[in-house]
Amino acid sequence: MPGRFLLLGSASYDLLRNTAQSLAGRIVYQELGPFLLAELPDADWSAHWFRGGFPQSWLAEEERYRQIWMGSFLTTYLEKDLPQLGLPASPALVERLLTMLAYAQGGLANFHSLARSLGVSAPTLSSYIDFLERALFLRRLQPYFSNAAKRLVKSPKLYLRDSGVVHYLLRIPDVPRLLGHPAAGGSWEGYVIEQALAVLEPHERAYFYRTADGAELDLVIESALQIRAALKIKLSSSPKLGRGASIALADLGHPPLLVVTPAAADAPIREGWVCSARTLPGHLRRLLREAPPHSTA
């Protein structure tokens, strides 16, 4: 159909508040995130994980140039972009919040503890988190509820969406020191989740599953009230599936499982497949488009 198209770039849907018309029915939202590993066929997974997907960060010729760009980007974002979008917090406080979230990457959100550390109220902190989420800087992953008989974790998980930003805030200078850092596991988890969520269709929803007894799956994909796939994310090329994951799979009706590693060779296991971050999108697409529904009863 003939037509004219105007493409507008923005870091937040909230900027549309400044438009004179709603454009309902005449506008399409397309989230364009940083480079994914699947979009960089020649990229080494560890370099991409460390640097993140922002073009200037990924393409920097030297690490010191990348560090300079990342520092300038965050300074501009905190001191100009976020205030212009309406965030009523000082840049210094927001930087402290982001650094705390980087250290706790992938952890259960404890708004009261974070608020005390920052010297603000829990409702105020909650409004800041909401703002960062709407600005597409933060990912909030909700827990999946399926079994009333289970004591389930109810707090969401929080992830800074770009791994390069995480590592800059943590002052990690290279991949070897990243691998030895206490935050490496959470950073890897957030990185893999971003690769996985890019595969989903609008009707597919992502959650994590955790019980009070420790049964856990890092990501579960739901569609039409059925779990279509589950992910366990491991920062190891020789992953082992623990009892907690097996219990969680049983709780959810034994959906097909992907155990995602940095670079292990693809191999079938009883519950599904071991795969790498590179091959994850293909496996996940196959499961979501071809696998039969699995009851969560």
Side-chain angles (χ1 to χ4, degrees):
M1 180 181 296
R4 292 182 298 174
F5 299 88
L6 178 64
L7 304 181
L8 300 175
S10 169
S12 171
Y13 301 133
D14 290 336
L15 281 182
L16 290 175
R17 292 178 302 182
N18 298 325
T19 60
Q21 300 182 40
S22 70
L23 301 178
R26 292 172 288 159
I27 189 170
V28 173
Y29 298 105
Q30 179 64 48
E31 184 176 317
L32 184 63
F35 289 144
L36 299 165
L37 184 61
E39 297 171 324
L40 302 167
D42 298 324
D44 175 75
W45 67 266
S46 63
H48 184 247
W49 173 36
F50 173 68
R51 288 192 159 207
F54 282 112
Q56 292 91 334
S57 177
W58 171 248
L59 296 171
E61 294 183 359
E62 296 182 20
E63 177 58 22
R64 65 189 183 97
Y65 295 148
R66 191 191 74 86
Q67 294 280 344
I68 291 171
W69 178 85
M70 189 66 76
S72 300
F73 162 70
L74 284 173
T75 296
T76 303
Y77 194 74
L78 296 176
E79 295 185 356
K80 293 187 177 181
D81 290 359
L82 290 179
Q84 287 177 358
L85 289 172
L87 181 62
S90 72
L93 187 146
V94 178
E95 183 174 12
R96 285 172 55 203
L97 172 59
L98 293 177
T99 302
M100 292 167 66
L101 292 174
Y103 274 102
Q105 179 84 336
L108 294 176
N110 187 329
F111 286 9
H112 290 283
S113 177
L114 284 172
R116 284 196 303 271
S117 298
L118 290 171
V120 299
S121 68
T124 295
L125 176 70
S126 181
S127 71
Y128 294 167
I129 295 294
D130 290 344
F131 195 97
L132 291 170
E133 185 178 19
R134 287 292 296 167
L136 309 180
F137 205 77
L138 181 73
R139 171 89 59 191
R140 187 194 318 239
L141 193 64
Q142 297 289 355
Y144 185 77
F145 297 98
S146 66
N147 191 332
K150 291 281 185 177
R151 294 174 55 229
L152 300 174
V153 167
K154 297 182 180 180
S155 298
K157 287 186 174 184
L158 299 176
Y159 300 90
L160 298 182
R161 293 183 58 171
D162 183 74
S163 58
V165 170
V166 173
H167 304 148
Y168 177 83
L169 289 168
L170 297 178
R171 301 297 187 261
I172 299 175
D174 51 44
V175 172
R177 275 173 279 197
L178 168 58
L179 291 171
H181 196 279
S187 171
W188 175 249
E189 183 177 311
Y191 172 80
V192 171
I193 285 173
E194 289 300 313
Q195 312 305 306
L197 297 191
V199 173
L200 302 191
E201 298 291 346
H203 64 277
E204 294 162 341
R205 295 289 183 266
Y207 306 88
F208 73 95
Y209 181 82
R210 181 186 290 185
T211 70
D213 298 327
E216 182 177 9
L217 292 166
D218 298 313
L219 198 67
V220 295
I221 310 300
E222 179 265 344
S223 176
L225 302 180
Q226 305 288 343
I227 297 297
R228 304 299 300 273
L231 271 66
K232 194 68 181 174
I233 301 169
K234 298 284 191 179
L235 186 56
S236 168
S237 294
S238 301
K240 295 181 180 179
L241 198 63
R243 182 171 178 270
S246 299
I247 293 173
L249 287 170
D251 290 345
L252 297 177
H254 295 284
L257 176 72
L258 294 175
V259 181
V260 187
T261 71
D266 291 8
I269 56 176
R270 184 180 62 180
E271 298 85 357
W273 282 82
V274 171
C275 68
S276 67
R278 170 71 67 186
T279 59
L280 166 64
H283 283 290
L284 190 54
R285 287 190 186 96
R286 172 179 57 81
L287 291 178
L288 295 176
R289 310 301 174 250
E290 300 177 4
H294 286 259
S295 171
T296 60

